[in-house]
């Protein structure tokens, strides 16, 4: 059975991105174990998806058969991003930490997919995620913001949004003190990758 991988990078660096190096290593490990895997790749730093705005909220809440051409185009991208996420057995996300939080490009990717009836639904017991059975592996990189520390506002948000969509199998590998000890920071991340179940 084909294993589907969705690979998301969010670094704005054109070269020398640690998070990109780590996501590539994770994807290589997964593809080595699943030789028949399918891969969809999005580089949100180089090719960001549009921010949501008033036109977006109108478009995605207009029935498909009533949308004009512009609304259909706006909704089509959102639909495509959701379809990519739902089709993935594993989603690999690069999480470079900028100013203690995630890149705006990565938040916009989540914003494009946060649609009631598509990735979650409201129930009497509260919101329920609709993306089931997907595993997420997060490559966390930072010069000095330690994963899970009081100043890490990135990983908790990412874990919450994935869980909100229904993805609760979430693992992190981290190079989180690169500016302090580059070698140790990368060694820790690579050890985390080596210990991942493929």
């Amino acid at each position: 059975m084909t294993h589907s991988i969705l690979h998301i990078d969010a670094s704005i660096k054109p070269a020398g991105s640690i998070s990109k190096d780590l996501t590539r290593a994770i994807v290589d490990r997964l593809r080595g174990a699943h030789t028949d895997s399918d891969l969809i790749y999005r580089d949100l730093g180089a090719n960001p998806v549009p921010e949501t705005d008033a036109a977006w909220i109108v478009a995605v809440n207009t029935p498909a058969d009533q949308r004009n051409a512009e609304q259909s185009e706006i909704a089509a991208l959102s639909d495509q991003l959701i379809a990519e996420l739902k089709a993935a057995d594993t989603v690999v996300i690069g999480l470079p930490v900028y100013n203690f939080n995630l890149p705006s490009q990565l938040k916009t990717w989540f914003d494009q997919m946060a649609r009631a009836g598509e990735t979650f639904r409201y129930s009497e017991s509260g919101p329920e995620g609709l993306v089931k059975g997907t595993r997420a592996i997060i490559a966390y990189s930072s010069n000095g913001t330690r994963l899970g520390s009081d100043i890490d506002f990135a990983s908790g948000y990412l874990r919450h949004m994935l869980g909100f969509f229904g993805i609760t199998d979430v693992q992190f590998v981290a190079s989180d003190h690169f500016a302090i000890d580059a070698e140790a920071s990368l060694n820790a991340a690579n050890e985390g990758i080596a210990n991942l179940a493929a």
Side-chain angles (χ1 to χ4, degrees), residues 62-177:
T62 299
D65 60 354
Q66 297 177 28
R67 293 171 184 152
N68 61 32
E70 181 183 6
Q71 290 170 339
S72 295
E73 183 178 354
I74 291 170
L77 174 60
S78 179
D79 289 343
Q80 181 180 354
L81 297 174
I82 291 169
E84 290 172 358
L85 183 66
K86 286 183 173 179
D89 296 300
T90 304
V91 57
V92 178
I93 301 174
L95 177 57
V97 177
Y98 298 153
N99 301 317
F100 314 105
N101 214 326
L102 72 167
S104 59
Q105 293 85 351
L106 187 54
K107 182 181 184 300
T108 299
W109 180 70
F110 278 107
D111 289 343
Q112 281 277 355
M113 296 185 293
R115 289 168 53 189
E118 295 290 344
T119 50
F120 71 96
R121 71 179 184 93
Y122 293 109
S123 68
E124 292 181 359
S125 57
E128 176 191 355
L130 299 177
V131 184
K132 306 289 189 181
T134 300
R135 175 191 186 193
I137 304 173
I138 315 302
Y140 179 103
S141 67
S142 171
N143 279 333
T145 302
R146 296 284 191 150
L147 176 67
S149 68
D150 289 343
I151 59 172
D152 166 24
F153 302 104
S155 66
Y157 175 84
L158 199 70
R159 185 187 293 276
H160 174 79
M161 286 304 299
L162 290 168
F164 185 70
F165 288 173
I167 301 172
T168 56
D169 182 0
V170 181
Q171 298 168 277
F172 285 83
V173 297
S175 171
D176 59 4
H177 55 294

Side-chain angles (χ1 to χ4, degrees), residues 6-46:
L6 176 59
H7 177 182
I8 302 294
D9 277 327
S11 173
I12 60 174
K13 291 182 179 178
S17 166
I18 295 169
S19 64
K20 283 185 178 181
D21 289 344
L22 296 178
T23 59
R24 277 194 294 268
I26 294 167
V27 169
D28 286 347
R29 178 169 173 75
L30 294 173
R31 298 193 84 179
H34 304 277
T35 55
D36 59 345
S37 59
D38 289 333
L39 177 67
I40 294 175
Y41 176 63
R42 283 192 177 271
D43 185 342
L44 301 177

Side-chain angles (χ1 to χ4, degrees), residues 173-190:
V173 297
S175 171
D176 59 4
H177 55 294
F178 188 80
I180 300 165
D181 189 335
E183 183 178 0
S185 185
L186 289 176
N187 285 344
N190 289 325

